[in-house]
Every structure is written in structure tokens, then in C-alpha cells.
Amino acid sequence: DMGCFKGTMFFNARLFFFALIEIHNFRITKKRKCNKNATKYRDMLRKYVAGGAINLVHKVQLLDAEIMKRTSQNSDKVLQKYKAAIVSATRSGFLQDAALSNYLCAQYCQTNSKLESYHEMYMVKSRDQFLSWGASEVAKSLCERYPNVFSKMKSLRPRRSSSSVHSIGQFSSTSKFQERH
């Protein structure tokens, strides 16, 4: 029972991650229950968005893309859902969710021959946003897991400027705020 969490900001985050876990489990097990649960959690978040929770829009868009990619034959529509989630999360300041959206989009592009050329771009964007968010170990892990994407790059700094300064050799991150104080 999640009744005690409903009044907290953690409830919506839990629903989001429960949905992602159920989507992953469905891919592995093909159990309808996983699919049903993922859809239920996504629909709960969608209801909160309809009620004015604009900070959840990107989460619903990402879940839509993840659910659609299982069944949709139209890869352009799935890609548009990912793009919408990325833009929405970035504009709302949810860098971690934008990074996750880019990562999941990169994985989708890698498995879809029509979109394979986009894989590298989304993976690099994911890494850059994880670095900007301060998740240097996640960025390091991406570089290690996808050496074919990142071996061409001389630096591990994000391609665009960010609010963090990143150490190339150690993947450490120090915010400008911390540097000043």
C-alpha cells in the first residue's frame, strides 16, 4: 500500500520508476501483468498532469515512448515522443530526466535500423546531461559501456556549456556555487 506516500513528492517519482521497471520486466518476461501495471502507473501520472501537475509532463511523455516502442510500427511517432520528453524535461530543469530520456532514446535508435544513425547523438547528449547534472559516475559508465561512441572524443566535457565544471581525468564534478563558497 502506497497510501502514506501519496501526499509526498516522492509518490510521483515512485510511480514513474515503477512504470519503467514494469516496462523492463515486460520486455524480459512478456507477462501481461507487467504491461498492465506499467500502463496503470503511466495513467495515474497522466491523471495528475490533467489535474495541473505540469512537472510530470515529461515523465508521462517518456513512459508513452517506452510503451509505444514495444508495439508501434511507426518509429517516427516513437521518436517524436522521446523528443517531446527530452525537450519538456530540459525546459523544466529536470536534467536527470532529460539525460534518462536521451539514453532510452539512444537505445531505441540503436535497435531500429531506420533510426540507427541517431544513436550516437542521443547517447552523447545523455552523457552531457548526466555530467551537467553532476552524475559523473553515470557519465563514466556510459563511456565505458559504449566505447565505440565515445572513443572518438578527446574530452569528456559536455559539448555545450553547463553550470558545472568537470574534471576530465577523474569524472569529478564541482559546481560553480561550491567553488565560490
Coordinates of all heavy atoms in Angstrom, one line a residue, residues 85-180:
A85 N 9.7 14.4 -24.7 CA 10.1 14.2 -23.3 C 11.4 14.9 -23.0 O 11.6 15.5 -22.0 CB 10.2 12.7 -23.0
I86 N 12.3 14.8 -23.9 CA 13.6 15.4 -23.8 C 13.5 17.0 -23.7 O 14.0 17.6 -22.8 CB 14.6 15.1 -24.9 CG1 14.9 13.6 -24.8 CG2 15.8 15.9 -24.9 CD1 15.5 13.0 -26.1
V87 N 12.7 17.5 -24.6 CA 12.5 19.0 -24.6 C 11.8 19.4 -23.3 O 12.2 20.4 -22.7 CB 11.8 19.4 -25.9 CG1 11.3 20.9 -25.8 CG2 12.6 19.2 -27.1
S88 N 10.8 18.8 -23.0 CA 10.0 19.1 -21.8 C 10.8 19.0 -20.5 O 10.8 19.9 -19.7 CB 8.7 18.2 -21.7 OG 7.9 18.6 -20.6
A89 N 11.6 17.9 -20.4 CA 12.4 17.8 -19.2 C 13.5 18.8 -19.1 O 13.7 19.4 -18.0 CB 13.0 16.4 -19.1
T90 N 14.1 19.1 -20.2 CA 15.2 20.1 -20.3 C 14.6 21.5 -19.9 O 15.2 22.2 -19.1 CB 15.9 20.1 -21.7 OG1 16.3 18.8 -21.9 CG2 17.0 21.1 -21.7
R91 N 13.5 21.9 -20.5 CA 13.0 23.2 -20.3 C 12.5 23.4 -18.9 O 12.5 24.5 -18.3 CB 11.8 23.5 -21.2 CG 12.2 23.8 -22.6 CD 11.1 24.1 -23.5 NE 11.6 24.4 -24.9 CZ 10.8 24.4 -25.9 NH1 9.5 24.2 -25.9 NH2 11.3 24.7 -27.1
S92 N 12.1 22.3 -18.3 CA 11.6 22.3 -16.9 C 12.7 22.2 -15.9 O 12.5 22.3 -14.7 CB 10.6 21.2 -16.6 OG 9.5 21.3 -17.5
G93 N 13.9 22.0 -16.3 CA 15.1 21.9 -15.4 C 15.3 20.5 -14.8 O 16.1 20.4 -13.9
F94 N 14.7 19.5 -15.3 CA 14.9 18.1 -14.9 C 16.0 17.5 -15.7 O 15.7 16.6 -16.5 CB 13.6 17.3 -14.9 CG 12.5 17.8 -14.0 CD1 11.5 18.7 -14.4 CD2 12.6 17.4 -12.6 CE1 10.6 19.1 -13.5 CE2 11.6 17.8 -11.7 CZ 10.6 18.7 -12.2
L95 N 17.2 17.9 -15.4 CA 18.3 17.4 -16.2 C 18.5 15.8 -16.2 O 18.8 15.2 -17.1 CB 19.7 18.0 -15.8 CG 19.8 19.5 -16.1 CD1 21.2 20.0 -15.7 CD2 19.6 19.8 -17.6
Q96 N 18.2 15.3 -15.0 CA 18.4 13.8 -14.8 C 17.3 13.1 -15.7 O 17.7 12.1 -16.3 CB 18.2 13.4 -13.3 CG 16.8 13.5 -12.7 CD 16.4 14.9 -12.3 OE1 17.0 15.9 -12.7 NE2 15.4 14.9 -11.5
D97 N 16.1 13.6 -15.8 CA 15.1 13.0 -16.6 C 15.4 13.2 -18.1 O 15.1 12.4 -18.9 CB 13.7 13.5 -16.2 CG 13.3 13.0 -14.8 OD1 13.9 12.0 -14.3 OD2 12.4 13.7 -14.2
A98 N 16.0 14.4 -18.4 CA 16.4 14.6 -19.8 C 17.5 13.7 -20.2 O 17.5 13.1 -21.3 CB 16.8 16.1 -20.0
A99 N 18.4 13.5 -19.3 CA 19.5 12.5 -19.6 C 19.0 11.1 -19.7 O 19.4 10.4 -20.7 CB 20.5 12.6 -18.4
L100 N 18.1 10.7 -18.9 CA 17.5 9.4 -19.0 C 16.7 9.2 -20.3 O 16.8 8.2 -21.0 CB 16.6 9.1 -17.8 CG 15.8 7.8 -17.8 CD1 16.8 6.6 -17.8 CD2 14.9 7.7 -16.6
S101 N 16.0 10.3 -20.6 CA 15.2 10.3 -21.9 C 16.1 10.1 -23.1 O 15.8 9.4 -24.0 CB 14.3 11.5 -22.0 OG 13.4 11.6 -21.0
N102 N 17.2 10.9 -23.1 CA 18.2 10.8 -24.2 C 18.8 9.4 -24.2 O 19.0 8.8 -25.3 CB 19.3 11.8 -24.0 CG 19.0 13.1 -24.6 OD1 18.8 13.2 -25.9 ND2 18.8 14.1 -23.8
Y103 N 19.1 8.8 -23.1 CA 19.7 7.5 -23.0 C 18.7 6.4 -23.6 O 19.1 5.6 -24.4 CB 20.1 7.1 -21.6 CG 20.5 5.7 -21.4 CD1 21.8 5.3 -21.9 CD2 19.7 4.7 -20.9 CE1 22.2 4.0 -21.8 CE2 20.1 3.4 -20.7 CZ 21.4 3.1 -21.2 OH 21.8 1.8 -21.1
L104 N 17.5 6.5 -23.1 CA 16.5 5.5 -23.6 C 16.2 5.7 -25.1 O 16.0 4.7 -25.8 CB 15.2 5.6 -22.8 CG 15.3 5.1 -21.3 CD1 14.1 5.4 -20.5 CD2 15.7 3.7 -21.2
C105 N 16.2 6.9 -25.6 CA 16.0 7.2 -27.0 C 17.2 6.6 -27.8 O 17.0 6.0 -28.8 CB 15.9 8.7 -27.2 SG 15.6 9.1 -28.9
A106 N 18.4 6.8 -27.3 CA 19.6 6.3 -27.9 C 19.5 4.7 -28.0 O 19.8 4.2 -29.1 CB 20.9 6.6 -27.1
Q107 N 19.1 4.1 -27.0 CA 18.9 2.6 -27.0 C 17.9 2.2 -28.1 O 18.1 1.3 -28.8 CB 18.5 2.1 -25.7 CG 19.6 2.0 -24.7 CD 19.1 1.3 -23.4 OE1 18.0 1.5 -22.9 NE2 20.0 0.5 -22.8
Y108 N 16.8 3.0 -28.1 CA 15.8 2.7 -29.1 C 16.3 2.9 -30.5 O 16.1 2.0 -31.4 CB 14.5 3.6 -28.9 CG 13.5 3.4 -30.0 CD1 12.8 2.2 -30.1 CD2 13.2 4.5 -30.8 CE1 11.8 2.1 -31.1 CE2 12.2 4.3 -31.8 CZ 11.5 3.1 -31.9 OH 10.6 3.0 -32.9
C109 N 17.0 3.9 -30.8 CA 17.6 4.2 -32.1 C 18.6 3.1 -32.5 O 18.7 2.7 -33.7 CB 18.3 5.6 -32.1 SG 17.1 7.0 -32.0
Q110 N 19.3 2.6 -31.5 CA 20.3 1.6 -31.8 C 19.7 0.3 -32.3 O 20.2 -0.4 -33.1 CB 21.2 1.3 -30.6 CG 22.3 0.4 -30.8 CD 23.1 0.1 -29.5 OE1 22.6 0.2 -28.4 NE2 24.4 -0.2 -29.7
T111 N 18.5 0.0 -31.8 CA 17.8 -1.2 -32.1 C 16.9 -1.1 -33.3 O 16.2 -2.1 -33.7 CB 17.0 -1.8 -30.9 OG1 16.0 -0.8 -30.6 CG2 17.9 -2.0 -29.7
N112 N 16.7 0.1 -33.9 CA 15.9 0.4 -35.0 C 16.7 0.8 -36.2 O 17.3 1.9 -36.2 CB 14.8 1.4 -34.6 CG 13.8 1.7 -35.7 OD1 14.1 1.8 -36.9 ND2 12.5 1.7 -35.3
S113 N 16.8 -0.1 -37.2 CA 17.6 0.2 -38.4 C 17.3 1.5 -39.0 O 18.2 2.2 -39.5 CB 17.6 -0.9 -39.4 OG 16.2 -1.1 -39.8
K114 N 16.1 1.9 -39.0 CA 15.7 3.2 -39.6 C 16.3 4.4 -38.9 O 16.5 5.5 -39.5 CB 14.2 3.3 -39.7 CG 13.6 4.5 -40.4 CD 12.1 4.5 -40.4 CE 11.6 5.9 -41.0 NZ 10.2 6.0 -40.9
L115 N 16.5 4.3 -37.6 CA 16.9 5.4 -36.7 C 18.4 5.2 -36.2 O 18.8 6.0 -35.4 CB 16.0 5.5 -35.5 CG 14.5 5.7 -35.8 CD1 13.7 5.7 -34.6 CD2 14.3 7.1 -36.5
E116 N 19.0 4.2 -36.6 CA 20.4 3.8 -36.1 C 21.4 5.0 -36.1 O 22.2 5.2 -35.3 CB 20.9 2.6 -36.8 CG 22.0 1.9 -36.1 CD 22.4 0.6 -36.7 OE1 21.8 0.3 -37.8 OE2 23.2 0.0 -36.1
S117 N 21.2 5.8 -37.1 CA 22.2 7.0 -37.3 C 22.0 8.0 -36.2 O 23.0 8.8 -35.9 CB 22.0 7.7 -38.6 OG 20.7 8.2 -38.7
Y118 N 20.9 8.0 -35.4 CA 20.7 8.9 -34.3 C 21.3 8.4 -33.0 O 21.3 9.2 -32.0 CB 19.2 9.2 -34.1 CG 18.6 9.9 -35.3 CD1 17.6 9.3 -36.1 CD2 18.9 11.2 -35.6 CE1 17.0 9.9 -37.1 CE2 18.3 11.9 -36.6 CZ 17.4 11.2 -37.4 OH 16.8 11.9 -38.4
H119 N 21.6 7.1 -32.9 CA 22.1 6.5 -31.7 C 23.2 7.3 -31.0 O 23.1 7.7 -29.8 CB 22.5 5.1 -31.9 CG 23.3 4.5 -30.8 ND1 22.8 4.1 -29.6 CD2 24.6 4.2 -30.7 CE1 23.7 3.6 -28.8 NE2 24.8 3.7 -29.4
E120 N 24.2 7.6 -31.7 CA 25.4 8.3 -31.2 C 25.0 9.7 -30.6 O 25.4 10.1 -29.5 CB 26.5 8.4 -32.2 CG 27.8 9.0 -31.7 CD 28.9 9.0 -32.7 OE1 29.1 8.0 -33.4 OE2 29.5 10.1 -32.9
M121 N 24.2 10.5 -31.4 CA 23.9 11.8 -31.0 C 23.1 11.8 -29.6 O 23.4 12.5 -28.7 CB 23.0 12.4 -32.0 CG 22.4 13.8 -31.6 SD 21.2 14.5 -32.8 CE 19.8 13.5 -32.5
Y122 N 22.1 10.9 -29.5 CA 21.4 10.8 -28.3 C 22.2 10.3 -27.1 O 22.0 10.7 -26.0 CB 20.1 10.0 -28.4 CG 19.0 10.8 -29.2 CD1 18.7 10.4 -30.5 CD2 18.4 11.9 -28.6 CE1 17.8 11.1 -31.2 CE2 17.4 12.6 -29.3 CZ 17.1 12.2 -30.6 OH 16.2 12.9 -31.3
M123 N 23.1 9.4 -27.4 CA 24.0 8.9 -26.3 C 24.9 10.0 -25.8 O 25.1 10.1 -24.6 CB 24.8 7.7 -26.8 CG 25.5 6.9 -25.7 SD 24.5 6.2 -24.4 CE 23.6 4.9 -25.3
V124 N 25.5 10.8 -26.7 CA 26.4 11.9 -26.3 C 25.6 12.9 -25.5 O 26.0 13.4 -24.5 CB 27.1 12.5 -27.5 CG1 27.8 13.8 -27.1 CG2 28.1 11.5 -28.1
K125 N 24.4 13.2 -26.0 CA 23.5 14.2 -25.2 C 23.2 13.6 -23.8 O 23.2 14.4 -22.9 CB 22.2 14.4 -26.0 CG 22.3 15.3 -27.2 CD 21.0 15.6 -27.8 CE 21.1 16.5 -29.0 NZ 19.8 16.8 -29.5
S126 N 22.9 12.3 -23.7 CA 22.7 11.7 -22.4 C 23.9 11.9 -21.5 O 23.7 12.4 -20.4 CB 22.3 10.3 -22.6 OG 22.2 9.6 -21.3
R127 N 25.0 11.6 -22.0 CA 26.3 11.7 -21.2 C 26.5 13.2 -20.8 O 26.8 13.4 -19.6 CB 27.5 11.2 -22.0 CG 28.7 11.0 -21.2 CD 29.8 12.1 -21.2 NE 29.7 13.1 -22.3 CZ 30.7 13.3 -23.2 NH1 31.7 12.5 -23.2 NH2 30.6 14.2 -24.1
D128 N 26.3 14.1 -21.7 CA 26.5 15.5 -21.4 C 25.5 16.0 -20.3 O 25.9 16.7 -19.4 CB 26.3 16.4 -22.7 CG 27.4 16.2 -23.7 OD1 28.4 15.5 -23.3 OD2 27.3 16.7 -24.8
Q129 N 24.3 15.5 -20.4 CA 23.3 16.0 -19.4 C 23.5 15.3 -18.0 O 23.3 15.9 -17.0 CB 21.8 15.7 -19.9 CG 21.5 16.8 -21.0 CD 20.1 16.6 -21.5 OE1 19.7 15.5 -21.9 NE2 19.4 17.8 -21.7
F130 N 24.0 14.1 -18.0 CA 24.3 13.5 -16.8 C 25.5 14.2 -16.1 O 25.5 14.5 -14.9 CB 24.7 12.0 -16.9 CG 23.5 11.1 -16.9 CD1 23.3 10.2 -18.0 CD2 22.6 11.0 -15.8 CE1 22.2 9.4 -18.0 CE2 21.5 10.2 -15.8 CZ 21.3 9.3 -16.9
L131 N 26.5 14.6 -16.9 CA 27.6 15.4 -16.4 C 27.1 16.8 -15.9 O 27.5 17.2 -14.8 CB 28.7 15.6 -17.5 CG 29.6 14.5 -17.8 CD1 30.5 14.8 -19.0 CD2 30.5 14.2 -16.5
S132 N 26.2 17.4 -16.7 CA 25.7 18.7 -16.2 C 24.9 18.6 -14.9 O 24.9 19.5 -14.1 CB 24.8 19.3 -17.3 OG 25.5 19.6 -18.5
W133 N 24.3 17.5 -14.7 CA 23.5 17.3 -13.5 C 24.4 16.9 -12.4 O 24.1 17.0 -11.2 CB 22.5 16.2 -13.8 CG 21.5 15.9 -12.6 CD1 20.8 16.8 -12.0 CD2 21.2 14.6 -12.0 NE1 20.0 16.2 -11.0 CE2 20.3 14.9 -11.0 CE3 21.7 13.3 -12.2 CZ2 19.7 13.8 -10.3 CZ3 21.2 12.3 -11.5 CH2 20.2 12.6 -10.5
G134 N 25.7 16.5 -12.7 CA 26.6 16.1 -11.6 C 26.8 14.7 -11.4 O 27.5 14.2 -10.5
A135 N 26.2 13.9 -12.3 CA 26.3 12.4 -12.2 C 27.4 11.9 -13.0 O 27.3 11.2 -14.0 CB 25.0 11.8 -12.6
S136 N 28.6 12.2 -12.5 CA 29.8 11.9 -13.2 C 30.1 10.4 -13.3 O 30.6 10.0 -14.3 CB 31.0 12.6 -12.6 OG 31.1 12.3 -11.3
E137 N 29.7 9.7 -12.3 CA 29.9 8.2 -12.4 C 29.0 7.6 -13.4 O 29.4 6.6 -14.1 CB 29.8 7.6 -11.0 CG 30.9 7.9 -10.0 CD 32.3 7.5 -10.5 OE1 32.4 6.3 -11.0 OE2 33.2 8.3 -10.4
V138 N 27.8 8.1 -13.6 CA 26.9 7.6 -14.6 C 27.5 7.9 -16.0 O 27.5 7.1 -16.9 CB 25.5 8.2 -14.5 CG1 24.6 7.7 -15.6 CG2 24.9 7.8 -13.1
A139 N 28.0 9.1 -16.1 CA 28.7 9.5 -17.4 C 29.9 8.6 -17.7 O 30.1 8.2 -18.8 CB 29.1 11.0 -17.4
K140 N 30.6 8.3 -16.7 CA 31.8 7.5 -16.9 C 31.4 6.1 -17.3 O 32.0 5.5 -18.2 CB 32.6 7.4 -15.5 CG 33.8 6.5 -15.6 CD 34.5 6.5 -14.2 CE 35.7 5.5 -14.3 NZ 36.3 5.4 -13.0
S141 N 30.3 5.6 -16.7 CA 29.8 4.3 -17.0 C 29.3 4.2 -18.5 O 29.6 3.2 -19.2 CB 28.6 3.9 -16.1 OG 28.0 2.7 -16.5
L142 N 28.7 5.3 -18.9 CA 28.2 5.3 -20.3 C 29.5 5.3 -21.3 O 29.4 4.5 -22.3 CB 27.4 6.6 -20.6 CG 26.0 6.6 -20.0 CD1 25.4 8.0 -20.4 CD2 25.2 5.5 -20.5
C143 N 30.5 6.0 -20.9 CA 31.7 6.0 -21.8 C 32.3 4.6 -21.8 O 32.9 4.2 -22.8 CB 32.7 7.0 -21.2 SG 32.2 8.7 -21.4
E144 N 32.3 3.9 -20.7 CA 32.9 2.6 -20.6 C 32.0 1.5 -21.3 O 32.5 0.6 -22.0 CB 33.1 2.1 -19.2 CG 34.2 2.9 -18.5 CD 34.2 2.7 -17.0 OE1 33.3 2.1 -16.4 OE2 35.1 3.3 -16.3
R145 N 30.7 1.7 -21.3 CA 29.8 0.7 -21.9 C 29.6 0.9 -23.4 O 29.2 0.0 -24.1 CB 28.4 0.8 -21.2 CG 28.5 0.2 -19.8 CD 27.2 0.2 -19.0 NE 26.0 0.1 -19.8 CZ 24.8 0.8 -19.4 NH1 24.8 1.5 -18.3 NH2 23.8 0.7 -20.1
Y146 N 29.9 2.2 -23.8 CA 29.7 2.5 -25.3 C 31.0 3.1 -25.8 O 31.0 4.2 -26.3 CB 28.5 3.4 -25.5 CG 27.2 2.8 -25.0 CD1 26.7 3.1 -23.8 CD2 26.5 2.0 -25.9 CE1 25.5 2.5 -23.3 CE2 25.3 1.4 -25.5 CZ 24.8 1.7 -24.2 OH 23.6 1.1 -23.8
P147 N 32.1 2.4 -25.8 CA 33.4 2.9 -26.2 C 33.4 3.3 -27.7 O 34.1 4.3 -28.1 CB 34.4 1.8 -25.9 CG 33.6 0.6 -25.9 CD 32.2 1.0 -25.4
N148 N 32.6 2.6 -28.5 CA 32.5 3.0 -29.9 C 31.9 4.4 -30.1 O 32.3 5.1 -31.1 CB 31.7 2.0 -30.7 CG 30.3 1.8 -30.1 OD1 30.1 1.9 -28.9 ND2 29.3 1.6 -31.0
V149 N 31.1 4.9 -29.2 CA 30.5 6.2 -29.3 C 31.5 7.3 -28.8 O 31.7 8.3 -29.4 CB 29.2 6.3 -28.5 CG1 28.7 7.8 -28.5 CG2 28.2 5.4 -29.2
F150 N 32.2 7.0 -27.7 CA 33.0 8.0 -27.0 C 34.5 7.9 -27.3 O 35.2 8.8 -26.9 CB 32.7 7.9 -25.5 CG 31.3 8.2 -25.1 CD1 30.4 7.2 -24.8 CD2 30.8 9.5 -25.2 CE1 29.1 7.5 -24.5 CE2 29.5 9.8 -24.9 CZ 28.6 8.8 -24.6
S151 N 34.9 6.9 -27.9 CA 36.4 6.8 -28.2 C 36.9 7.9 -29.1 O 38.1 8.2 -29.1 CB 36.7 5.4 -28.7 OG 36.1 5.2 -30.0
K152 N 36.0 8.4 -30.0 CA 36.4 9.4 -30.9 C 36.6 10.8 -30.3 O 37.2 11.7 -30.8 CB 35.3 9.6 -32.0 CG 34.9 8.3 -32.7 CD 33.7 8.6 -33.6 CE 33.0 7.3 -33.8 NZ 31.7 7.5 -34.4
M153 N 36.1 10.9 -29.1 CA 36.1 12.2 -28.4 C 37.4 12.4 -27.6 O 37.9 11.5 -26.9 CB 34.9 12.4 -27.5 CG 33.6 12.2 -28.2 SD 32.3 12.2 -27.1 CE 31.4 13.6 -27.8
K154 N 38.0 13.6 -27.7 CA 39.2 13.9 -26.9 C 38.9 14.2 -25.5 O 39.7 13.9 -24.6 CB 39.9 15.1 -27.6 CG 40.2 14.9 -29.0 CD 41.7 14.9 -29.2 CE 42.0 14.9 -30.7 NZ 42.1 13.6 -31.3
S155 N 37.8 14.7 -25.2 CA 37.5 15.2 -23.9 C 36.2 14.6 -23.4 O 35.3 14.2 -24.2 CB 37.3 16.8 -24.0 OG 36.6 17.3 -22.9
L156 N 36.0 14.6 -22.1 CA 34.8 14.1 -21.5 C 33.9 15.3 -21.1 O 32.9 15.1 -20.3 CB 35.1 13.2 -20.3 CG 35.8 11.9 -20.8 CD1 36.1 11.1 -19.6 CD2 34.9 11.1 -21.7
R157 N 34.3 16.5 -21.4 CA 33.5 17.6 -21.1 C 32.2 17.7 -21.9 O 32.2 17.2 -23.1 CB 34.3 18.9 -21.4 CG 35.5 19.1 -20.5 CD 36.2 20.4 -20.8 NE 37.4 20.5 -20.1 CZ 37.5 21.0 -18.8 NH1 36.4 21.4 -18.2 NH2 38.7 21.0 -18.3
P158 N 31.1 18.2 -21.4 CA 29.9 18.3 -22.2 C 30.2 19.1 -23.4 O 31.0 20.1 -23.4 CB 28.9 19.0 -21.3 CG 29.4 18.7 -19.9 CD 30.9 18.7 -20.0
R159 N 29.5 18.8 -24.5 CA 29.7 19.6 -25.8 C 29.2 21.0 -25.7 O 29.6 21.9 -26.4 CB 29.0 18.9 -26.9 CG 29.7 17.6 -27.3 CD 29.1 17.1 -28.6 NE 30.0 16.0 -29.1 CZ 29.7 15.3 -30.1 NH1 28.6 15.5 -30.8 NH2 30.5 14.3 -30.5
R160 N 28.2 21.2 -24.8 CA 27.7 22.6 -24.7 C 28.1 23.1 -23.3 O 28.3 22.3 -22.4 CB 26.2 22.6 -24.9 CG 25.4 21.8 -23.9 CD 23.9 21.9 -24.2 NE 23.2 21.0 -23.4 CZ 22.8 21.3 -22.1 NH1 23.2 22.4 -21.5 NH2 22.1 20.4 -21.4
S161 N 28.1 24.3 -23.1 CA 28.4 24.9 -21.7 C 27.4 24.5 -20.7 O 26.2 24.3 -21.0 CB 28.5 26.4 -21.8 OG 27.3 27.0 -22.1
S162 N 27.8 24.3 -19.5 CA 26.9 23.9 -18.4 C 27.2 24.7 -17.2 O 28.2 25.4 -17.1 CB 26.9 22.4 -18.2 OG 28.2 22.1 -17.6
S163 N 26.4 24.4 -16.1 CA 26.7 25.1 -14.9 C 27.7 24.4 -14.0 O 27.9 24.8 -12.9 CB 25.3 25.3 -14.1 OG 24.8 24.0 -13.9
S164 N 28.3 23.3 -14.5 CA 29.2 22.6 -13.7 C 30.6 22.5 -14.5 O 30.6 22.6 -15.7 CB 28.8 21.1 -13.5 OG 27.6 21.1 -12.8
V165 N 31.6 22.4 -13.7 CA 33.0 22.2 -14.2 C 33.3 20.8 -14.0 O 33.2 20.3 -12.9 CB 34.0 23.2 -13.5 CG1 35.4 22.9 -14.0 CG2 33.5 24.6 -13.7
H166 N 33.8 20.1 -15.0 CA 34.0 18.7 -14.9 C 35.5 18.4 -15.1 O 36.1 18.9 -16.0 CB 33.2 17.9 -16.0 CG 31.8 18.2 -15.9 ND1 31.0 17.7 -14.9 CD2 31.0 19.1 -16.6 CE1 29.8 18.2 -15.1 NE2 29.8 19.0 -16.1
S167 N 36.1 17.6 -14.2 CA 37.4 17.1 -14.3 C 37.5 16.0 -15.4 O 36.8 15.0 -15.2 CB 37.9 16.7 -13.0 OG 39.1 16.0 -13.1
I168 N 38.3 16.1 -16.4 CA 38.4 15.2 -17.4 C 38.9 13.8 -16.9 O 38.3 12.8 -17.2 CB 39.2 15.7 -18.6 CG1 38.6 16.9 -19.2 CG2 39.5 14.6 -19.6 CD1 39.4 17.6 -20.2
G169 N 39.9 13.8 -16.2 CA 40.6 12.6 -15.8 C 39.8 11.8 -14.7 O 39.8 10.6 -14.7
Q170 N 39.2 12.5 -13.8 CA 38.6 11.8 -12.7 C 37.1 11.8 -12.7 O 36.5 11.2 -11.8 CB 39.0 12.5 -11.4 CG 40.5 12.5 -11.2 CD 41.0 13.6 -10.3 OE1 40.3 14.5 -10.0 NE2 42.2 13.5 -9.9
F171 N 36.4 12.4 -13.7 CA 35.0 12.4 -13.8 C 34.4 13.1 -12.6 O 33.2 12.8 -12.2 CB 34.4 11.1 -14.0 CG 34.6 10.4 -15.3 CD1 35.7 9.6 -15.5 CD2 33.8 10.7 -16.4 CE1 36.0 9.0 -16.7 CE2 34.1 10.1 -17.6 CZ 35.1 9.3 -17.7
S172 N 35.1 13.9 -11.9 CA 34.5 14.6 -10.7 C 33.8 15.9 -11.2 O 34.2 16.4 -12.2 CB 35.6 14.9 -9.7 OG 36.5 15.8 -10.2
S173 N 32.9 16.3 -10.4 CA 32.1 17.5 -10.7 C 32.1 18.4 -9.6 O 31.8 18.0 -8.4 CB 30.7 17.0 -11.1 OG 29.9 18.2 -11.3
T174 N 32.3 19.7 -9.8 CA 32.2 20.7 -8.8 C 31.4 21.8 -9.3 O 31.7 22.4 -10.4 CB 33.6 21.2 -8.4 OG1 34.5 20.1 -8.1 CG2 33.6 22.2 -7.2
S175 N 30.4 22.2 -8.7 CA 29.5 23.3 -9.2 C 30.2 24.6 -8.9 O 31.0 24.7 -8.0 CB 28.1 23.2 -8.5 OG 28.3 23.6 -7.1
K176 N 29.8 25.6 -9.7 CA 30.4 26.9 -9.6 C 30.0 27.5 -8.2 O 30.8 28.2 -7.6 CB 29.9 27.8 -10.7 CG 30.5 27.5 -12.0 CD 30.0 28.4 -13.1 CE 30.6 28.0 -14.4 NZ 30.2 28.9 -15.5
F177 N 28.8 27.1 -7.7 CA 28.4 27.6 -6.4 C 29.4 27.1 -5.3 O 29.8 27.9 -4.5 CB 27.0 27.0 -6.0 CG 26.6 27.4 -4.6 CD1 26.1 28.7 -4.4 CD2 26.7 26.5 -3.6 CE1 25.7 29.0 -3.1 CE2 26.3 26.9 -2.3 CZ 25.8 28.1 -2.1
Q178 N 29.8 25.8 -5.4 CA 30.8 25.3 -4.4 C 32.1 26.0 -4.5 O 32.8 26.2 -3.6 CB 30.9 23.8 -4.6 CG 29.7 23.0 -4.1 CD 29.7 21.6 -4.5 OE1 30.3 21.2 -5.6 NE2 29.2 20.7 -3.7
E179 N 32.5 26.3 -5.8 CA 33.8 26.9 -6.0 C 33.8 28.3 -5.3 O 34.9 28.8 -4.8 CB 34.1 27.1 -7.5 CG 34.4 25.7 -8.1 CD 34.6 25.9 -9.6 OE1 34.3 27.0 -10.2 OE2 34.9 24.9 -10.3
R180 N 32.7 29.0 -5.3 CA 32.7 30.4 -4.8 C 32.6 30.4 -3.3 O 32.9 31.4 -2.7 CB 31.5 31.1 -5.4 CG 31.6 31.5 -6.8 CD 30.5 32.3 -7.2 NE 29.3 31.5 -7.2 CZ 28.3 31.5 -8.0 NH1 28.3 32.4 -9.0 NH2 27.3 30.7 -8.0

